[in-house]
Amino acid sequence: MRIRQAIYQFVDDVIELIWPPNHCLLCCGLIPATDLLLGVGLCQHCRHDLAAYNCCPNCATFIHSNATPEQLALHHRFCHSSQVQGIAAFNALAPYAGQMRQNLLQLKYHGQRRLAKPLGQEIARAWQHTGWPADVIIPVPLHAEKMKQRGYNQCDLLAKACGEVLNLPVLSNVLQRVKATEVQNKLNAEERKSNVESAFACEDGIEQLAGKNIILLDDIITTGSTMRACAVALQSARPAAIYGLAVAGKLLQTESFEKFAD
Ligand SMILES: [Zn+2]
Ligand SMILES: [Zn+2]
């Protein structure tokens, strides 16, 4: 298992050396070499477009600044009923739609591990904008069986890239997924909740989390049920706070521009 992972990593490193990812994560346009050296994954145009969205800290929904009062009221109703206990606040990089959705599908199901680095670096920038405190990053774990099939945990890779930028330690082994769960995207909110309930447990080393601000990192936040289940397991460590961070959150359907059209 470890040898397979080491080989994957080596191949990725060689490819990256010869052909570094140099396309914008949203529009696929070329990123200037000077920006690439700084670990930038978005072109200026897309960064500007993303700035028109606000990621709701309560439910991780992306809301465009053009949202109508009716759409805002809709969000309010949804948001009010979707409070995720145990998570102090959520943040994500972009809406789960268009090219960002494709990036995550490629990373998760098509072995495109190299996408994790620019995505992780950009999540780190999104985090820096929040100004929230953080001491450690914990990626949402995969079940051992899934890990065996896929060969890697995409959240682990994202967390490592994010941790390098934020200069924070990544603890990948403290939290374990002890229950093999169904894929969440075919389930409704209630089914999602019961699917992941008791799916996570803390292993040795939990005492180091006491009084710490934890970033819990996932690839997508939809209903927040996975994050909530992780938070339940982590609460036994008595952390100061747990924040949910992800590449993508759901998009409130407004007059979204074509970049986020499915
Ligand atoms: Zn772009
Ligand atoms: Zn909300």
Side-chain angles (χ1 to χ4, degrees):
M1 187 60 227
R2 287 220 173 116
I3 294 172
R4 197 167 127 203
Q5 277 182 317
I7 293 170
Y8 277 149
Q9 189 62 55
F10 177 74
V11 171
D12 277 358
D13 289 349
V14 171
I15 293 174
E16 200 169 305
L17 206 68
I18 304 166
W19 184 49
N22 58 351
H23 289 85
C24 173
L25 291 162
L26 280 175
C27 71
C28 303
L30 277 176
I31 290 182
T34 43
D35 283 355
L36 274 186
L37 291 172
L38 299 171
V40 168
L42 293 170
C43 74
Q44 284 185 11
H45 183 69
C46 289
R47 200 177 294 284
H48 176 263
D49 286 348
L50 262 186
Y53 286 87
N54 183 32
C55 179
C56 174
N58 189 50
C59 69
T61 298
F62 277 82
I63 304 157
H64 196 269
S65 54
N66 283 347
T68 63
E70 292 77 24
Q71 288 162 334
L72 289 176
L74 187 75
H75 165 250
H76 256 284
R77 274 204 303 279
F78 166 77
C79 193
H80 220 65
S81 61
S82 61
Q83 182 82 38
V84 179
Q85 282 175 358
I87 302 287
F90 286 114
N91 191 239
L93 169 64
Y96 184 64
Q99 188 56 36
M100 201 46 93
R101 181 169 166 270
Q102 291 304 324
N103 290 334
L104 287 175
L105 293 174
Q106 289 292 322
L107 170 65
K108 209 162 163 175
Y109 301 114
H110 301 283
Q112 293 292 315
R113 298 158 53 106
R114 59 205 306 268
L115 280 167
K117 194 167 178 184
L119 286 169
Q121 289 169 330
E122 288 298 340
I123 308 178
R125 289 200 179 84
W127 174 263
Q128 282 169 328
H129 280 124
T130 67
W132 299 334
D135 302 303
V136 60
I137 303 176
I138 297 184
V140 170
L142 273 188
H143 188 264
E145 209 42 51
K146 194 66 81 53
M147 185 77 179
K148 218 163 146 187
Q149 287 167 12
R150 198 174 293 168
Y152 60 94
N153 174 4
Q154 72 282 357
C155 296
D156 218 358
L157 304 180
L158 291 165
K160 279 179 186 139
C162 181
E164 273 171 28
V165 175
L166 298 177
N167 203 16
L168 290 176
V170 176
L171 302 181
S172 302
N173 298 320
V174 179
L175 192 63
Q176 302 285 327
R177 195 184 281 249
V178 290
K179 192 170 107 183
T181 49
E182 282 180 58
V183 176
Q184 294 272 84
N185 60 15
K186 301 239 164 33
L187 308 176
N188 67 31
E190 266 313 302
E191 288 167 340
R192 279 169 193 251
K193 209 170 156 186
S194 61
N195 185 37
V196 291
E197 216 154 279
S198 321
F200 301 93
C202 283
E203 296 284 304
D204 295 345
I206 190 172
E207 59 286 343
Q208 60 188 310
L209 300 176
K212 295 279 164 58
N213 288 295
I214 300 172
I215 295 179
L216 190 55
L217 199 145
D218 206 351
D219 47 2
I220 309 158
I221 302 168
T222 313
T223 60
S225 52
T226 301
M227 291 262 181
R228 183 189 162 274
C230 288
V232 168
L234 288 168
Q235 285 304 342
S236 56
R238 300 191 174 278
I242 302 170
Y243 296 91
L245 181 64
V247 174
K250 59 203 166 297
L251 174 66
L252 183 73
Q253 293 302 332
T254 59
E255 286 179 29
S256 57
F257 54 97
E258 60 182 44
K259 204 166 285 161
F260 291 118
D262 272 323

